[in-house]
């Protein structure tokens, strides 16, 4: 794949009114902060509501025109991707802004930052902008799609912000749930002395007037920008300290097949290549505080239950890996005291011999507190089962530990029995099927 010619800042280029893959990329390394791609759909320069903001905590626009995909790290180059179908953009939307934000540093520390627009079906590059010379900026508008005489164009922008994703989003009309500094207290104005009415004019008798209190404004639900990304260097987080030990914890696994995006199904971002029969299964081994153990999985229809033991429920089986669906499992954190440990793992039921070339991301979203996400490493062994995350209850402190551990079953040993042995669950297994 040859590198495309980079556009000068401020220049524009026509783009096809079809499915596009927008790739934010940079070179990873020691001391390089993470970066995140986002998009804003604008009418007259502003969003219509907070739902017009597509980013890691809000990955799908209601029109299905823009989706945020999983991040990849391949050979020292990191990419974060948006899928944009310009044919689906609502007629009122004039501009789709393409932005980047730095997480834990400035863009002066992010080498080789670029944005590239590809025809998703053909893989051909239609526009590219290399954003050089960044210093203290923590967010950038790198480019934008805009309508001109019935057609769409891409403009290379390169406008920086030192106020991060929150400042950039606020600039376009997003309400952000970020801690604000309280205004400095102001000295109370002195009370003026009472003025007596003129003696010749008797004061009018006061009449009680019933004034209904003003109706309180409907509270806007602000966008939450916080997130926790687990890495090899920082592999665990306390949900308790994050305030995330009540309500439902949603565990999502999504994936892509192969390195090239290869199709556009009824759902944006669906991979349809040679692995159209690929079937990954999200599962959970559990051990409750009363000593009982078991597994939640689609095999044998062991889908679990949310409001009775094991307080874990698996959604229906998904075979697309799409960001909006994927495989989903829910844990009832209102029953935290009932859990001793939960191991979230994934098996390949059909369609592939290993996890190689499957780019998977795990996201744990508690009802309260920040979402926790991590990517799986490149798989280099013939693995059909991967331990994803271990959730342990230690003295009431609920800890999520990134495992991302590929296991290779011995001949004749099932993936479930393999993960049981690796983590010492000690259960008896019998063959099962869907």
């Amino acid at each position: 794949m040859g590198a495309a010619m980079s556009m000068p800042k401020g220049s524009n280029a026509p783009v096809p009114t079809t499915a596009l893959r927008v790739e934010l990329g940079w070179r990873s390394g020691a001391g390089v902060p993470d970066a995140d791609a986002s998009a804003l759909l604008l009418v007259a320069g502003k969003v219509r509501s907070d739902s017009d903001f597509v980013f890691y905590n809000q990955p799908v626009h209601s029109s299905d025109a823009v989706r945020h995909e999983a991040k990849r790290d391949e050979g020292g180059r990191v990419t974060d991707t948006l899928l944009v179908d310009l044919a689906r953009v609502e007629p009122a939307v004039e501009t789709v802004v393409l932005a980047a934000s730095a997480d834990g540093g400035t863009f002066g520390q992010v080498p080789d930052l670029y944005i590239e627009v590809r025809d998703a079906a053909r893989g051909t590059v239609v526009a590219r902008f290399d954003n050089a010379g960044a210093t203290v900026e923590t967010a950038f508008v790198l480019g934008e799609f805009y309508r001109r005489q019935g057609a769409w164009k891409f403009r290379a922008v390169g406008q920086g912000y030192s106020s991060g994703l929150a400042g950039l989003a606020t600039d376009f009309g997003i309400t952000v749930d970020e801690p604000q500094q309280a205004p400095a207290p102001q000295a109370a104005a002195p009370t003026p002395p009472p003025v007596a009415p003129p003696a010749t004019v008797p004061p009018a008798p006061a009449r009680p007037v019933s004034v209904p209190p003003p109706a309180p404004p409907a509270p806007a639900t602000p966008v939450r920008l916080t997130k926790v990304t687990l890495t090899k260097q920082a592999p665990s987080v306390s949900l308790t300290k994050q305030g995330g030990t009540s309500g439902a914890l949603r565990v999502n696994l999504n994936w892509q097949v192969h390195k090239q995006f290869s199709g556009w199904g009824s759902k944006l971002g669906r991979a349809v290549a040679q692995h159209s029969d690929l079937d990954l299964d999200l599962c959970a081994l559990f051990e409750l505080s009363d000593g009982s153990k078991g597994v939640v999985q689609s095999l044998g229809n062991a889908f679990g239950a949310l409001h009775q033991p094991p307080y874990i429920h698996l959604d229906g089986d998904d075979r697309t890996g799409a960001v909006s669906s994927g495989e989903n499992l829910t844990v009832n954190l209102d029953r935290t005291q009932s859990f001793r440990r939960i191991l979230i793992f994934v098996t390949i039921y059909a369609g592939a011999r290993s996890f190689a070339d499957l780019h998977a991301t795990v996201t744990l979203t508690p009802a309260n507190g920040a979402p926790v996400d991590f990517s799986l490493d490149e798989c280099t062994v013939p693995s059909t089962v991967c331990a994803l995350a271990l959730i342990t209850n230690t003295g009431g402190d609920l800890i999520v530990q990134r495992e991302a551990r590929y296991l290779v079953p011995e001949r004749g040993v099932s993936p479930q029995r393999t993960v049981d042995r690796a983590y010492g669950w000690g259960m008896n297994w019998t063959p099962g099927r869907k």
Side-chain angles (χ1 to χ4, degrees):
M1 179 184 75
M5 182 74 71
S6 180
M7 298 169 60
K9 185 174 176 177
S11 63
N12 61 67
V15 292
T17 311
T18 54
L20 300 171
R21 184 183 191 89
V22 179
E23 184 178 275
L24 171 72
W26 65 96
R27 187 158 44 84
S28 62
V32 176
D34 194 20
D36 297 290
S38 58
L40 300 105
L41 288 78
L42 307 183
V43 177
K46 296 284 184 182
V47 296
R48 295 164 295 181
S49 72
D50 290 350
S51 63
D52 281 341
F53 184 28
V54 178
F55 70 120
Y56 46 79
N57 281 353
Q58 197 165 271
V60 185
H61 190 260
S62 58
S63 67
D64 227 17
V66 183
R67 287 176 177 256
H68 181 259
E69 259 199 337
K71 198 170 288 182
R72 302 184 192 179
D73 188 345
E74 297 174 1
R77 181 153 304 275
V78 186
T79 55
D80 198 15
T81 305
L82 297 162
L83 296 172
V84 181
D85 189 348
L86 293 174
R88 287 178 178 261
V89 175
E90 299 142 303
V93 174
E94 302 154 351
T95 311
V96 179
V97 165
L98 307 167
S101 56
D103 186 13
T106 69
F107 276 111
Q109 302 165 275
V110 180
D112 300 348
L113 182 71
Y114 70 89
I115 187 169
E116 192 168 79
V117 180
R118 288 176 172 268
D119 184 309
R122 298 174 181 168
T124 51
V125 178
V126 295
R128 179 185 172 107
F129 172 55
D130 289 274
N131 193 79
T135 54
V136 300
E137 298 88 352
T138 49
F140 267 101
V141 172
L142 293 177
E144 63 183 16
F145 295 119
Y146 65 98
R147 297 183 194 264
R148 183 68 76 240
Q149 296 175 338
W152 284 95
K153 288 191 168 187
F154 171 81
R155 179 184 289 119
V157 179
Q159 177 188 349
Y161 292 74
S162 58
S163 49
L165 186 58
L168 182 149
T170 304
D171 209 39
F172 288 104
I174 299 290
T175 307
V176 174
D177 181 14
E178 291 285 275
Q180 301 290 330
Q181 288 188 333
Q186 295 180 343
T191 305
V195 178
T200 56
V201 181
R207 292 183 181 178
V209 178
S210 176
V211 179
T221 304
V223 171
R224 300 193 66 154
L225 300 184
T226 49
K227 66 168 183 170
V228 176
T229 298
L230 301 183
T231 62
K232 285 181 181 177
Q233 293 73 31
S236 64
V237 64
S238 166
L239 288 182
T240 306
K241 291 174 183 173
Q242 295 277 329
T245 52
S246 63
L249 172 69
R250 192 161 182 82
V251 182
N252 172 266
L253 172 74
N254 68 71
W255 63 90
Q256 299 168 295
V257 181
H258 284 296
K259 293 180 170 56
Q260 289 294 328
F261 180 75
S262 54
W264 208 268
S266 59
K267 281 184 177 290
L268 207 60
R270 175 175 294 175
V272 292
Q274 302 127 343
H275 286 76
S276 58
D277 59 345
L278 178 69
D279 188 4
L280 299 187
D281 285 341
L282 189 63
C283 314
L285 281 171
F286 62 84
E287 182 179 359
L288 302 183
S289 52
D290 64 4
S292 58
K293 300 175 183 178
V295 64
V296 173
Q297 59 180 4
S298 58
L299 206 62
N301 295 321
F303 288 99
L306 207 53
H307 300 291
Q308 61 190 50
Y311 309 111
I312 304 168
H313 182 257
L314 177 67
D315 289 4
D317 198 19
D318 180 78
R319 300 195 179 195
T320 69
V323 174
S324 61
S325 52
E327 289 271 311
N328 291 285
L329 182 144
T330 307
V331 180
N332 185 350
L333 293 184
D334 291 332
R335 302 304 300 248
T336 293
Q337 74 280 2
S338 300
F339 297 119
R340 188 171 292 167
R341 58 178 180 156
I342 304 169
L343 180 69
I344 311 293
F345 66 99
V346 59
T347 67
I348 298 175
Y349 184 75
R353 295 181 179 179
S354 84
F355 288 102
D357 285 346
L358 299 184
H359 303 280
T361 300
V362 182
T363 306
L364 296 88
T365 307
N368 304 291
V372 177
D373 67 23
F374 60 89
S375 297
L376 297 184
D377 300 318
E378 288 288 314
C379 179
T380 57
V381 293
S383 169
T384 54
V385 58
C386 179
L388 300 176
L390 183 64
I391 304 172
T392 53
N393 186 352
T394 308
D397 191 7
L398 212 58
I399 303 289
V400 176
Q401 170 91 19
R402 175 189 188 268
E403 295 294 310
R405 182 178 170 192
Y406 294 105
L407 301 170
V408 182
E410 297 174 6
R411 182 180 293 275
V413 179
S414 70
Q416 288 83 353
R417 190 186 298 267
T418 300
V419 78
D420 179 318
R421 287 180 181 176
Y423 287 86
W425 234 263
M427 289 170 50
N428 295 317
W429 295 92
T430 55
R433 64 174 52 205
K434 294 187 184 182

